[in-house]
Amino acid sequence: MADVQGAWTAENEQQFWTVLNQILSAPCDSYELLDNALRSWLDLVSKARDAYLDDEDEIANCSEQLIHSPLFSVNKEYVRTQIIYSLLQEDEYAPLHVIANFLLSDGRAEEDTFRRMIQEGCFVRLLELIKGCGGKDSRLHRLLLQLMYEMSRIERLRDEDLMQIDDGFVTYLFQLIEALADDANDPYHYSVIRVLLVLNEQYMVAATTAATEPSSISPITNRVIKLLGVHGDSYRTFGENIILLLNRETETSQQLLILKLLYLLFTTSATYEYFYTNDLHVLLDVIIRNLLDLPSEMDILRHTYLRVLAPLLAHTQLSKPPHYKRGQILSLIEILRGTGNAHFMPPEPTTIRLLDRVASTPWLAYEEPESPSLSPIGSLSLSQTGSAVNIIANVSEKPGVKTPSRKSDMAAQVKGKSEHGGSPPRPPPPRTLRAQKSLPEVPRHKHGVPVVHPPMPVPRLHVNGTGQKKMPPKLPPPRRRAKMVTVTGNEVRASSEASSPIGPAPLS
């Protein structure tokens, strides 16, 4: 309901949703009424943020109601312009939270919103807000990181925007990851990592543009790689977590972001040994598994994995003995080449060339390759390395596209055939019990010589002199009883007593 000053208020959560619906359903025949409705919506949701809307999904619901209201559908560009300008001018955290949530929801539905934000200079504003509200409002801080990530991966940033990123901001992001290292599954943690990944991609694109366009400004320093090369020992948690994310990630665009950073780390001498050896073992296992699981049509992602695999094997600790999973890597190369495997189609020329580059790693090859096309990755010329960076930097995929799996596709085909009346999968053949074979006869001849089996030894019995078996000794005879004679004067008395073991008692 509206108070005496015309401001909308709500005394409880149920009343809040009712008032919100009234604001968004009111007719707006002029820009003045439209501005009043937008201010009422922003003010009402901002006040309810800390009172009723504890969950981020509830604030997103308020944004969705505005997006689907007649107020927005009739005046989309005007409403977006007003909210973007509010982001550039607002200083209060609660209204900023509502504004950022709306731009995030609208940008995910319409990518032009993010492009418009870049044109209006919102990237620099987000830099200021992220550094300013870090320790004051964690909900807003997390949302601003998500907004920066989504905006930066849709459109290339302007060079003047990238130049506003200093070492302090990138160091601040790395320190956030180290501070939250005890909980790698925290989505706040994931938001920080994704911002660093997308900034690295923006630096790569800017570097390739500067190399191909003479009129562009001087190359911009990649501050993500720079700080990892100088202070990598202090930011090991970041490396551990990007391997963890690559192991779990199913979205193609996310995998490409991680692989782009890994390629630069493994082709920059200052970061060859940034990862721990055990982490490199895990990374190699993940790459082998993903390469074997990729369907035949995923050439772009397969090429990127192979471009990362070559310097990983040549430049990191994996190049030193004992060489980890050398046999599995050679088997992977043969499988991807389609050698004697009906499940893998013959690869196209680019895959063959990249497989040859991996196979030419010195510790994988039995002999040093003589062909210049199979030269190890460590001997690539600057032009070859630069061309690879250009290719990897410009590889992209639409957000939200999931990477198909060879195993899941085969399972889906089998399930589809059974559901649409196709032939169901054949059950395994029944087991047949075979008669037990008799043991082979003992050969009677060996090389023409008769085999003589010695007679079985007869158990020996202990016998006495008569040739009979000894019997156990009998029990001893019972003790004899003797009479004791007592002489008293001329009388003699006899009494029965047990005989002493020594003999009869002496006469007294």
Side-chain angles (χ1 to χ4, degrees), residues 364-377:
L364 283 179
Y366 289 104
E367 299 178 354
E368 289 295 333
E370 298 179 358
S371 175
S373 61
L374 302 181
S375 60
I377 186 68

Side-chain angles (χ1 to χ4, degrees), residues 84 107 110-121 150-151 154-156:
I84 288 176
E110 285 287 341
E111 296 179 355
D112 289 338
T113 300
F114 293 141
R115 297 186 177 94
R116 176 76 181 279
M117 292 175 62
I118 295 175
Q119 295 173 1
E120 299 293 342
E150 295 288 350
M151 182 182 69
I154 293 299
E155 186 76 8
R156 179 195 166 190

Side-chain angles (χ1 to χ4, degrees), residues 41-105:
W41 171 83
L42 181 59
D43 183 67
L44 180 68
V45 180
S46 300
K47 292 179 180 178
R49 169 184 178 263
D50 298 323
Y52 316 122
L53 308 179
D54 298 330
D55 191 357
E56 196 65 29
D57 291 338
E58 295 177 338
I59 301 181
N61 187 15
C62 299
S63 301
E64 291 295 331
Q65 290 194 28
L66 173 59
I67 293 174
H68 294 93
S69 67
L71 183 148
F72 178 78
S73 58
V74 179
N75 308 279
K76 289 185 179 181
E77 293 302 322
Y78 182 81
V79 173
R80 285 170 180 158
T81 301
Q82 293 299 100
I83 294 182
I84 288 176
Y85 287 166
S86 298
L87 176 67
L88 297 173
Q89 299 172 4
E90 185 62 59
D91 293 325
E92 296 292 331
Y93 288 163
L96 280 172
H97 193 155
V98 180
I99 293 170
N101 189 285
F102 172 82
L103 292 175
L104 182 62
S105 299

Side-chain angles (χ1 to χ4, degrees), residues 134-256:
K136 301 175 182 179
D137 194 323
S138 59
R139 294 178 63 187
L140 175 60
H141 188 259
R142 184 184 304 117
L143 184 63
L144 293 174
L145 288 170
Q146 294 176 0
L147 183 58
M148 173 178 281
Y149 165 74
E150 295 288 350
M151 182 182 69
S152 301
R153 74 169 180 166
I154 293 299
E155 186 76 8
R156 179 195 166 190
L157 297 176
R158 301 176 301 181
D159 291 340
E160 52 267 30
D161 292 337
L162 283 177
M163 295 178 66
Q164 296 299 319
I165 304 175
D166 55 5
D167 290 347
F169 179 74
V170 180
T171 302
Y172 168 68
L173 296 181
F174 280 127
Q175 290 175 348
L176 284 177
I177 298 174
E178 294 298 321
L180 300 173
D182 294 336
D183 187 6
N185 296 319
D186 184 9
Y188 175 76
H189 198 175
Y190 187 34
S191 299
V192 179
I193 294 175
R194 292 193 304 176
V195 169
L196 287 169
L197 291 175
V198 76
L199 289 181
N200 172 74
E201 182 187 47
Q202 289 287 344
Y203 281 125
M204 294 181 69
V205 174
T208 57
T209 303
T212 56
E213 297 180 4
S215 59
S216 61
I217 61 177
S218 59
I220 302 175
T221 302
N222 188 334
R223 300 190 183 276
V224 177
I225 300 298
K226 170 189 173 183
L227 289 175
L228 289 179
V230 178
H231 305 291
D233 294 340
S234 302
Y235 307 132
R236 298 279 192 179
T237 305
F238 171 73
E240 297 170 2
N241 287 337
I242 61 175
I243 296 177
L244 177 65
L245 292 178
L246 183 63
N247 184 34
R248 298 178 177 179
E249 193 58 63
T250 59
E251 187 175 332
T252 304
S253 62
Q254 297 288 339
Q255 295 183 51
L256 290 173

Side-chain angles (χ1 to χ4, degrees), residues 267-325:
T267 54
T268 304
S269 58
T271 54
Y272 281 169
E273 299 186 359
Y274 165 66
F275 293 95
Y276 291 115
T277 303
N278 289 338
D279 294 335
L280 293 177
H281 291 172
V282 176
L283 176 60
L284 181 58
D285 292 337
V286 172
I287 292 177
I288 293 176
R289 183 201 64 195
N290 291 351
L291 281 172
L292 291 176
D293 194 43
L294 282 178
S296 302
E297 64 272 12
M298 297 298 294
D299 288 332
I300 294 178
L301 188 56
R302 182 182 300 105
H303 295 166
T304 309
Y305 269 110
L306 291 175
R307 286 188 170 96
V308 172
L309 181 60
L312 167 65
L313 300 178
H315 294 159
T316 65
Q317 300 94 304
L318 296 182
S319 63
K320 303 174 184 177
H323 298 126
Y324 183 69
K325 290 196 173 181

Side-chain angles (χ1 to χ4, degrees), residues 485-507:
V485 180
T486 305
V487 180
T488 306
N490 296 325
E491 297 180 2
V492 178
R493 292 184 298 174
S495 61
S496 177
E497 291 186 7
S499 61
S500 172
I502 301 177
L507 299 177

